[in-house]
């Protein structure tokens, strides 16, 4: 019950990836889930030893000035200069300063969301976090629309917006950004050198079109801190995924955390195929070959936390 360790060897109730995939005849009865407030608070305290979501969610204006040199977190030999535009978009105070929410939804991008009917439930949470500018308009029944924070890896500009090759793609990105009105756009700008121009394009677009969003650029130490926290809990991840980063941050300011769209497997519990993303045709091979993520390992850890009541993982339909 209260064991902080979420390694499978110390949590016999954990269902391994193989079990999830192979077991298809007898569906488990709808298991009842209870929130474990004590464990949630314990996790919050433990995470705080590694990072402070309020601070690490974004670098602030006071700590940088235009022209400052930053070494990329994953490409340490490469540097970038803090541009005027980036500086202009840095928040003065943390977008999460003093924030507390009764319930938060973290919406991952797995195809498991399709036909889930979870949109209404997701939108009913006090704070909704989404990943990588995933589209919502065409999928509202399953994913909802409420967005309080959305992440954007620079690679999204390439994968979902054709590197803004022409006016049509520019317009598409503009539309998406406008639709966020007021919410937080979280851009990991200091992680990998590959995103340099893409981050600059987006920054420029936001300023030029006076888009009403609050930008945030995670601190240089966030990734290592998150990794450190999980390693201490025997979850040996190489590089935390966006989803795991969001969960780890959310422990600070959310009382109850609900996860949707977390399912890094090509088949569901009934052996039906599941798309890697609910909105595009990206394949699973992409994940295993090109990505340093260890999603199934993360999933196992999250599943264990679900069973202990620290978070609620929804991998089926909503009522
Ligand atoms: O930025 P990243 O490539 O990690 O994420 P994404 O593909 O945009 O999906 C957002 C998050 O949803 C991931 O970081 C995972 O935590 C989760 N996810 C999942 O659990 N299963 C999938 N099939 C796809 C995404």
């Amino acid at each position: 019950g209260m064991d902080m360790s979420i390694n499978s060897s110390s949590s016999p109730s954990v269902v391994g990836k193989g079990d999830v995939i192979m077991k298809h005849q007898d569906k488990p009865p709808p298991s009842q889930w209870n929130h474990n407030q004590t464990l949630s608070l314990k996790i919050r305290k433990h995470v705080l030893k590694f990072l402070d979501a309020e601070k690490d969610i974004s670098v602030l204006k006071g700590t940088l000035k235009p022209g400052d040199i930053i070494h990329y977190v994953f490409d340490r030999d490469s540097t970038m200069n803090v541009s005027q535009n980036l500086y202009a978009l840095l928040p003065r105070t943390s977008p999460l300063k003093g924030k507390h929410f009764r319930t938060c939804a973290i919406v991952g991008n797995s195809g498991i969301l399709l036909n889930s009917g979870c949109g209404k439930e997701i939108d009913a949470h006090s704070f909704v976090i989404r990943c990588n500018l995933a589209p919502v308009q065409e999928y509202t029944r399953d994913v909802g629309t409420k967005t309080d924070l959305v992440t954007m890896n620079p690679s999204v500009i390439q994968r979902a917006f054709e590197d803004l090759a022409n006016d049509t793609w520019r317009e598409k990105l503009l539309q998406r950004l406008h639709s966020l009105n007021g919410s937080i756009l979280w851009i990991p700008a200091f992680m990998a050198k590959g995103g340099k121009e893409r981050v600059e394009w987006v920054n420029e677009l936001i300023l030029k079109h006076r888009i009403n969003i609050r930008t945030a650029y995670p601190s240089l130490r966030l990734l290592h801190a998150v990794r450190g926290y999980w390693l201490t809990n025997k979850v040996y991840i190489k590089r935390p995924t966006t989803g795991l980063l969001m969960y780890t941050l959310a422990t600070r300011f959310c009382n109850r955390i609900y996860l949707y769209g977390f399912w890094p497997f090509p088949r569901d519990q009934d052996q039906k195929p599941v798309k890697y993303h609910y909105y595009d045709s990206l394949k699973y091979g992409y994940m295993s070959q090109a990505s340093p993520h260890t999603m199934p390992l993360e999933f196992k850890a999250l599943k264990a936390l679900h069973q202990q009541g620290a978070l609620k993982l929804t991998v089926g339909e909503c009522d």
Side-chain angles (χ1 to χ4, degrees):
M2 283 302 302
D3 187 6
M4 268 300 294
S5 169
I6 46 185
N7 168 285
S8 58
S9 59
S10 55
S11 312
S13 54
V14 172
V15 181
K17 180 187 170 190
D19 300 327
V20 173
I21 287 173
M22 304 313 293
K23 219 177 189 176
H24 48 106
Q25 284 108 340
D26 45 320
K27 245 191 177 168
S31 58
Q32 107 160 17
W33 176 89
N34 289 308
H35 180 230
N36 185 338
Q37 176 80 16
T38 321
L39 178 57
S40 295
L41 289 175
K42 205 168 159 182
I43 291 171
R44 175 180 296 170
K45 269 195 179 165
H46 194 202
V47 171
L48 265 166
K49 291 191 206 294
F50 292 80
L51 60 123
D52 180 352
E54 197 175 284
K55 293 206 177 76
D56 291 308
I57 189 163
S58 186
V59 171
L60 301 181
K61 253 203 176 78
T63 67
L64 288 180
K65 51 186 190 314
D68 278 356
I69 289 170
I70 289 180
H71 286 255
Y72 285 103
V73 172
F74 296 121
D75 304 292
R76 289 172 187 232
D77 298 335
S78 297
T79 58
M80 61 166 282
N81 286 302
V82 175
S83 68
Q84 291 286 351
N85 284 347
L86 175 62
Y87 180 76
L89 288 169
L90 291 176
R92 280 190 197 286
T93 53
S94 168
L96 290 180
K97 194 173 169 59
K99 293 273 194 254
H100 280 286
F101 304 103
R102 202 176 68 79
T103 74
C104 295
I106 303 174
V107 186
N109 285 335
S110 164
I112 199 80
L113 279 165
L114 293 172
N115 298 314
S116 68
C118 287
K120 281 211 180 86
E121 188 181 310
I122 289 170
D123 282 354
H125 290 286
S126 332
F127 195 81
V128 178
I129 299 175
R130 298 182 191 271
C131 301
N132 287 319
L133 284 182
V136 290
Q137 237 22 277
E138 307 91 316
Y139 305 94
T140 52
R141 207 191 140 263
D142 296 327
V143 309
T145 54
K146 182 172 157 68
T147 304
D148 297 286
L149 183 152
V150 64
T151 72
M152 192 208 85
N153 287 348
S155 59
V156 167
I157 300 304
Q158 178 194 18
R159 268 199 264 125
F161 298 96
E162 297 286 330
D163 267 340
L164 311 182
N166 54 43
D167 284 349
T168 315
W169 290 108
R170 273 180 178 283
E171 194 51 39
K172 208 177 162 203
L173 177 61
L174 260 176
Q175 289 290 327
R176 185 72 186 94
L177 294 175
H178 272 302
S179 73
L180 297 174
N181 68 94
S183 58
I184 302 167
L185 178 65
W186 190 83
I187 308 175
F190 313 126
M191 302 306 152
K193 62 178 176 186
K196 200 180 259 181
E197 287 91 357
R198 291 168 187 136
V199 171
E200 282 304 315
W201 296 339
V202 174
N203 287 343
E204 203 186 307
L205 219 56
I206 293 170
L207 288 166
K208 190 173 156 199
H209 296 267
R210 298 167 174 278
I211 294 170
N212 175 29
I213 41 173
R214 288 180 294 159
T215 37
Y217 305 83
S219 79
L220 291 165
R221 41 162 282 191
L222 178 69
L223 259 102
H224 294 301
V226 168
R227 186 164 174 266
Y229 166 75
W230 290 97
L231 287 180
T232 307
N233 285 285
K234 302 198 182 100
V235 181
Y236 301 106
I237 46 171
K238 286 184 204 152
R239 204 190 274 192
T241 65
T242 304
L244 194 73
L245 281 173
M246 289 302 119
Y247 166 70
T248 314
L249 289 174
T251 59
R252 174 76 161 92
F253 56 95
C254 302
N255 271 345
R256 292 166 176 244
I257 302 177
Y258 294 76
L259 270 45
Y260 305 85
F262 284 65
W263 187 263
F265 311 111
R267 291 187 180 272
D268 69 9
Q269 285 151 311
D270 299 324
Q271 292 297 299
K272 293 206 191 85
V274 179
K275 290 178 69 186
Y276 179 66
H277 280 160
Y278 68 82
Y279 53 88
D280 66 21
S281 50
L282 206 62
K283 293 285 184 282
Y284 283 87
Y286 154 81
M287 178 176 79
S288 55
Q289 289 153 27
S291 161
H293 294 331
T294 25
M295 272 196 203
L297 206 67
E298 288 186 2
F299 182 83
K300 196 168 159 184
L302 294 171
K303 175 133 188 159
L305 288 171
H306 166 93
Q307 281 157 346
Q308 296 169 78
L311 58 82
K312 186 171 183 214
L313 199 52
T314 296
V315 294
E317 290 172 25
C318 289
D319 299 329

